[in-house]
Amino acid sequence: MPARRFAQVALPLPVDHPFTYSVPDALLDRVAIGMRALVPMQRRLETGFIVGLSDESDVEKVRDLADLPDDSPALSAEIIQLCTWIADYYCCSLGEVLPCAVPPGINQRTKKQYRLAPSLPDGRYTERQREVIAALHARGPLGEAELRGMLGEDDLAPALAALERRGALLRDNVAQRAAVSERTEAWAILIEDAVLPAEEQIALQRRAPKQAAVYFDLLRNEPEQPAAQLCARHDANSAALKALEEKGLIRREAREVYRTPLLHADAASREKLPMNEEQQAAHDAIAASLDAGKFQTFLLHGITGSGKTEVYLQVIERALALGKSAIVLVPEISLTPQTVGRFLARFQTDIAVLHSGLAAGERYDEWRRAQRGEVRIVVGARSAVFAPLKDLGIIIVDEEHDSSYKQGEVPRYHARDAAIMRAQMAGAACVLGSATPSIESYLNSEMGKSVRLELKRRATRSPLPTVRLVDMRGEVREQSGEVVLARELEEAIGARLAEREQVILLLNRRGHSPYLLCPACGSCTACTDCHVTMTYHARGQFLSCHYCNLRRRVPLACDDCGFTPLTYLGQGTQKLEDYLLRGFPNARIERMDRDTTSAKHGHAKILQRFAKREIDVLVGTQMIAKGHDYPGVTLVGVLNADAGLALPDFRASENVFQLLTQVAGRAGRGDRPGEVLIQTCRPTHYAIQAAKGHDYAAFFAREITDRRRSGYPPFRRMVQFTVESEDAHAAERAATHLVAWAREALETQELCAIELLGPAPATIYRVKKRYRWNLGAFCRSAKTLNTLARSLRNSFQEHAPKAVALKADLDPYGLF
């Protein structure tokens, strides 16, 4: 009798320990750490990951595993180790992290299904309950979603609950198929030595010409071909293939086929570019680490246009030559098709692309190509840090400063820091690249925790663009009405268009007008579900909340006092586009923001037209500032440049400096010099002055002094707790209790040198109908903060009402 085995399974629940299950005899030969496992949990089936195996268990009444969906482990020991670090550091469970390491949609789920009891209890039923009973009697067992589709939302949940309590309904949890799985297609394969004599070939051609056409195609051309292509070529169908199979001439089989993303690369970018002395020095330093096979972090600080991408490409070539693999992280991959295109062109089929913009099946197939060792390079956004590559040699984090590397939901990890940890675990090199490094990364290089490599001049030897500040305070005084473009910027646009050059205009606010104001009572039209004003969108004539996406028609009169007409205040990209269309009617103007790029490949299509010089002026939000290289751009204009400085965030100045510097770097990359005009009401602010001079060192010196004085990161670590509830009073009470529990934890667990800040209502007090309170905690020790976070999470789970939720965010980005 085989020995009994137990599996420790991590489930996607906020529980720090794995769950123990017995492995059935039928699965003993297959079970392994890293495999997905379908297990019973209460009255449903859940998919988890096996993170341990043992011969003994202290758990009584152990339930059996239900199934192992795969033939081999989905996760390697290295990935489990990385996920364990993320769970420990970012205060979440291992089961909440592990799903990030596999493509979404591959896990089986269960759904609630209702059926009528064999006999209905006597008594009166409400009309709604009778409708439910009638639907189930007519259609048989139905899921809750199906019932809602048939009967509507109103009062359905109470009716189902009441019928279940009375014993009229029975509820089952039914396993569903995974949303994503392998795709197969039928192939027709000529059987070896299956050659008909000449007279039988003639007979087949006479009796069944379509069968003969298919047979001769396989005989004279490729002996293995996709069945659909064969049938289409000869106007045949599956019956013809079946007949040939019965004659013993061919066989049919299902073969897996990859769903390949439709990504295109510029053929001209396949060749290596010569590197200058600075690039070569950076390359050699990274290559030495690769040759030695040891972990090392590098900060590649290169000004915009300095050729960081070429350094990446050539050090990856070095890694491949050593038999190693590579991961390249880029922020919001759909916004940087040029960068991805260069990697695709250089490495051809040896590369996979992973990001959320792909269809689920495409993403699944790209992940499996990496897992099977069919590719050695993965390029992707944040989650590509989990790419299942073997023999990892190098991880590159391009634009390492970008906030999109920080995940907003559980697990709230930062991909840059996870990349460093994975490189350390694999003994690989980690390269952080940016023209505007994060304060944390630059300080680490100052302290010797990483090696800083400098690229101080552009690879093309073209100079950095001239940057001029336009003081909008004077423009407002001199011009009547709302000022969209300063006269200097408007004249510069006209001059560039006359020379057939291209222009980029950045306004980091989408929509037409951020405020719809009543001049009589002063109220602004606000979202009913969020504590924010609604933005007016001229295309479609509607108001939209940019937090919950609620839409409503534009009111004819004020909701509060009935006054009309209402006033549209502020500027968004739609208003700027309309202004330009009126002022430059012959120019080809395009807008690039979330509203115009929501379709698949929306970003790439606009940028491809811009690259072909089919667009003269590109207007957009911050997505136009990232990683684009267009030699035709000679003018960049920035509107409302200082808006971000007013945000209640200690990183506000850093974010503004980075955005201005990055977008300024889009100008003057070709043969003609570039110019940047920044419209601002705070021209003397140090972040704007540093961006004007392309002076990162000056900005860092000022910013690091302010951070040290105030005790903000990176000098102390921070955790932000957010309490949320649809009941405003419940949220406030829970926040008050949270502080009490925190102070108790500081005393009883002797957590030293932690400073609490708050609680206080969040800056955006209500989002998606939920009221929010924040509590901040600062400490030099991340470990101490983590201990506090786990203590508060446990206290909250034990004592707080279920209607209130707690979020803990280690090293938060954005304090809203």
Side-chain angles (χ1 to χ4, degrees):
M1 182 176 179
R4 197 175 184 197
R5 294 278 279 167
F6 299 92
Q8 286 74 52
V9 179
L11 293 171
L13 301 170
V15 180
D16 287 337
H17 61 81
F19 294 82
T20 300
Y21 292 88
S22 178
V23 182
D25 293 345
L27 301 177
L28 281 174
D29 293 339
R30 293 174 50 206
V31 69
I33 293 175
M35 296 188 78
R36 293 189 300 150
L38 198 63
V39 299
M41 171 56 63
Q42 296 179 350
R43 295 178 60 185
R44 65 185 188 276
L45 292 175
E46 283 281 358
T47 302
F49 293 88
I50 297 176
V51 294
L53 290 169
S54 61
D55 297 325
E56 297 179 353
S57 173
D58 296 332
V59 180
E60 297 182 4
K61 298 181 180 179
V62 179
R63 303 171 76 179
D64 283 351
L65 293 177
D67 195 14
L68 298 173
D70 309 313
D71 294 327
S72 60
L75 303 177
S76 65
E78 180 183 313
I79 296 298
I80 294 176
Q81 183 184 11
L82 175 65
C83 292
T84 301
W85 175 82
I86 290 174
D88 290 343
Y89 184 80
Y90 291 101
C91 191
C92 56
S93 73
L94 180 58
E96 291 173 308
V97 183
L98 292 173
C100 295
V102 296
I106 68 171
N107 288 339
Q108 284 185 286
R109 295 187 176 186
T110 58
K111 69 173 183 178
K112 295 178 184 177
Q113 193 173 74
Y114 294 92
R115 55 188 171 91
L116 291 177
S119 60
L120 293 178
D122 295 331
R124 298 180 60 184
Y125 294 91
T126 66
E127 182 179 353
R128 192 60 165 159
Q129 292 171 357
R130 287 197 299 270
E131 290 177 352
V132 172
I133 292 171
L136 294 174
H137 180 75
R139 297 281 299 275
L142 292 171
E144 189 169 349
E146 296 166 307
L147 285 168
R148 292 183 189 280
M150 294 173 60
L151 306 177
E153 296 276 348
D154 296 342
D155 299 327
L156 181 62
L160 292 172
L163 288 170
E164 191 175 1
R165 284 195 301 269
R166 291 180 64 177
L169 292 189
L170 301 177
R171 183 178 64 178
D172 302 312
N173 285 284
V174 181
Q176 297 177 290
R177 290 185 60 187
V180 179
S181 59
E182 294 85 353
R183 189 177 79 180
T184 60
E185 66 178 7
W187 277 59
I189 303 163
L190 184 71
I191 293 178
E192 192 174 356
D193 300 328
V195 180
L196 291 173
E199 60 275 11
E200 293 187 25
Q201 292 183 15
I202 294 172
L204 179 65
Q205 198 166 13
R206 185 174 59 252
R207 293 194 310 269
K210 291 183 179 180
Q211 292 180 36
V214 170
Y215 169 69
F216 289 138
D217 193 332
L218 292 169
L219 184 66
R220 296 166 182 169
N221 300 306
E222 291 293 328
E224 300 181 7
Q225 298 185 42
Q229 293 180 18
L230 267 176
C231 290
R233 190 180 304 128
H234 303 292
D235 193 26
N237 54 31
S238 59
L241 298 179
K242 183 179 180 181
L244 289 171
E245 191 173 25
E246 290 174 348
K247 290 181 173 70
L249 299 176
I250 70 169
R251 61 183 175 86
R252 290 182 292 172
E253 67 178 36
R255 290 185 178 179
E256 185 179 348
V257 59
Y258 285 136
R259 290 152 285 203
T260 304
L262 296 175
L263 299 170
H264 303 285
D266 180 5
S269 65
R270 293 181 183 178
E271 298 180 2
K272 284 186 183 181
L273 299 177
M275 295 193 295
N276 60 32
E277 294 177 1
E278 290 179 338
Q279 289 174 298
Q280 191 64 52
H283 168 275
D284 293 346
I286 300 168
S289 177
L290 281 170
D291 293 343
K294 66 177 183 178
F295 164 68
Q296 179 67 65
T297 302
F298 298 90
L299 175 62
L300 184 59
H301 180 201
I303 63 171
T304 55
S306 59
K308 294 185 291 295
T309 303
E310 187 62 32
V311 175
Y312 302 155
L313 291 165
Q314 296 201 26
V315 294
I316 288 175
E317 285 185 334
R318 181 64 165 248
L320 297 184
L322 294 170
K324 302 289 187 178
S325 59
I327 295 173
V328 182
L329 301 184
V330 294
E332 300 180 81
I333 194 169
S334 58
L335 306 184
T336 54
Q338 272 194 336
T339 303
V340 178
R342 289 187 65 183
F343 284 96
L344 286 167
R346 185 72 61 89
F347 299 109
Q348 302 295 300
T349 58
D350 206 14
I351 185 171
V353 178
L354 290 173
H355 64 91
S356 59
L358 301 180
E362 294 171 348
R363 194 171 176 182
Y364 176 51
D365 288 350
E366 292 288 274
W367 178 81
R368 283 186 303 123
R369 288 176 65 214
Q371 187 192 42
R372 292 172 174 179
E374 297 172 13
V375 298
R376 292 194 292 164
I377 305 167
V378 168
V379 178
R382 184 173 56 230
S383 62
V385 73
F386 300 103
L389 292 173
K390 300 177 179 65
D391 301 316
L392 187 62
I394 187 168
I395 303 179
I396 292 169
V397 186
D398 191 31
E399 308 292 0
E400 65 84 24
H401 66 275
D402 199 284
S403 60
S404 63
Y405 284 125
K406 173 70 172 176
Q407 176 145 306
E409 300 299 326
V410 175
R412 296 179 176 85
Y413 69 96
H414 198 297
R416 177 196 61 215
D417 299 335
I420 294 172
M421 289 305 302
R422 182 168 184 190
Q424 182 176 355
M425 293 170 181
C430 185
V431 180
L432 313 179
S434 177
T436 54
S438 64
I439 295 297
E440 291 86 350
S441 294
Y442 198 84
L443 182 62
N444 283 339
S445 71
E446 292 274 274
M447 298 170 63
K449 293 182 179 180
S450 62
V451 176
R452 187 163 74 240
L453 307 170
E454 301 272 7
L455 304 179
K456 298 181 179 179
R457 58 187 175 91
R458 285 188 158 180
T460 59
R461 297 187 179 274
S462 57
L464 287 169
T466 302
V467 181
R468 298 206 307 273
L469 305 181
V470 181
D471 191 340
M472 294 302 291
R473 294 172 296 184
E475 293 285 333
V476 171
R477 286 194 299 267
E478 295 175 12
Q479 297 187 44
S480 59
E482 184 179 30
V483 180
V484 178
L485 290 180
R487 286 168 298 184
E488 185 179 357
L489 179 54
E490 193 160 351
E491 291 170 0
I493 294 171
R496 301 295 180 174
L497 293 176
E499 294 293 328
R500 298 185 180 278
E501 297 168 2
Q502 291 177 290
V503 178
I504 287 177
L505 296 177
L506 169 69
L507 175 55
N508 202 22
R509 186 78 184 240
R510 66 187 176 100
H512 185 279
S513 302
Y515 310 102
L516 185 58
L517 174 73
C518 174
C521 69
S523 67
C524 289
T525 305
C527 175
T528 56
D529 296 338
C530 305
H531 195 241
V532 294
T533 58
M534 302 188 79
T535 299
Y536 169 62
H537 288 249
R539 306 292 190 273
Q541 296 287 310
F542 62 88
L543 296 174
S544 173
C545 172
H546 289 177
Y547 283 82
C548 70
N549 294 321
L550 177 71
R551 290 189 178 188
R552 62 167 291 190
R553 293 180 179 178
V554 178
L556 299 176
C558 176
D559 293 335
D560 293 337
C561 71
F563 182 85
T564 187
L566 303 178
T567 302
Y568 299 92
L569 292 181
Q571 302 167 8
T573 49
Q574 286 185 3
K575 179 179 283 189
L576 176 57
E577 181 188 22
D578 291 344
Y579 183 90
L580 292 167
L581 289 170
R582 292 193 303 269
F584 304 98
N586 297 323
R588 297 168 297 178
I589 299 166
E590 189 99 24
R591 175 164 51 89
M592 184 171 167
D593 55 26
R594 192 180 300 176
D595 299 322
T596 63
T597 58
S598 56
K600 188 174 182 179
H601 303 308
H603 309 88
K605 290 176 182 177
I606 293 175
L607 293 174
Q608 284 171 3
R609 292 200 300 274
F610 195 55
K612 294 176 182 178
R613 308 291 289 269
E614 296 173 359
I615 299 172
D616 299 317
V617 181
L618 182 61
V619 175
T621 54
Q622 63 179 349
M623 62 176 61
I624 66 174
K626 300 180 180 182
H628 309 310
D629 187 354
Y630 300 106
V633 177
T634 57
L635 175 65
V636 168
V638 183
L639 285 68
N640 206 9
D642 40 40
L645 296 174
L647 296 176
D649 185 349
F650 68 87
R651 289 190 177 90
S653 297
E654 181 182 8
N655 294 336
V656 168
F657 169 77
Q658 289 168 342
L659 181 60
L660 294 180
T661 303
Q662 291 286 340
V663 74
R666 304 311 113 205
R669 287 176 170 246
D671 298 331
R672 300 185 181 185
E675 182 181 25
V676 182
L677 293 177
I678 299 176
Q679 296 185 177
T680 176
C681 292
R682 302 179 68 179
T684 60
H685 192 280
Y686 69 93
I688 293 176
Q689 283 291 321
K692 175 179 181 293
H694 307 284
D695 194 345
Y696 180 87
F699 172 77
F700 176 80
R702 170 64 186 271
E703 184 71 10
I704 203 69
T705 300
D706 290 349
R707 299 271 188 99
R708 183 182 287 109
R709 183 185 304 117
S710 60
Y712 279 123
F715 296 101
R716 290 191 298 178
R717 310 310 285 265
M718 179 181 181
V719 58
Q720 177 177 271
F721 300 99
T722 301
V723 175
E724 294 185 348
S725 176
E726 291 189 4
D727 184 329
H729 297 296
E732 184 176 2
R733 285 195 301 270
T736 303
H737 292 151
L738 189 68
V739 176
W741 295 329
R743 288 173 178 156
E744 181 181 352
L746 297 186
E747 294 177 4
T748 58
Q749 300 183 39
E750 298 183 356
L751 301 178
C752 303
I754 290 182
E755 178 186 353
L756 299 178
L757 187 65
T763 305
I764 310 298
Y765 179 44
R766 188 170 184 245
V767 174
K768 298 180 181 179
K769 298 182 180 181
R770 298 180 70 83
Y771 295 90
R772 308 157 73 232
W773 282 71
N774 286 340
L775 172 68
F778 295 87
C779 183
R780 291 187 179 276
S781 168
K783 184 177 180 179
T784 302
L785 279 184
N786 195 287
T787 301
L788 173 65
R790 290 185 181 277
S791 174
L792 291 188
R793 188 194 64 182
N794 295 339
S795 297
F796 205 88
Q797 289 176 344
E798 183 177 353
H799 301 294
K802 292 184 178 180
V804 184
L806 174 68
K807 296 179 179 179
D809 190 1
L810 273 292
D811 302 334
Y813 272 63
L815 309 180
F816 304 116

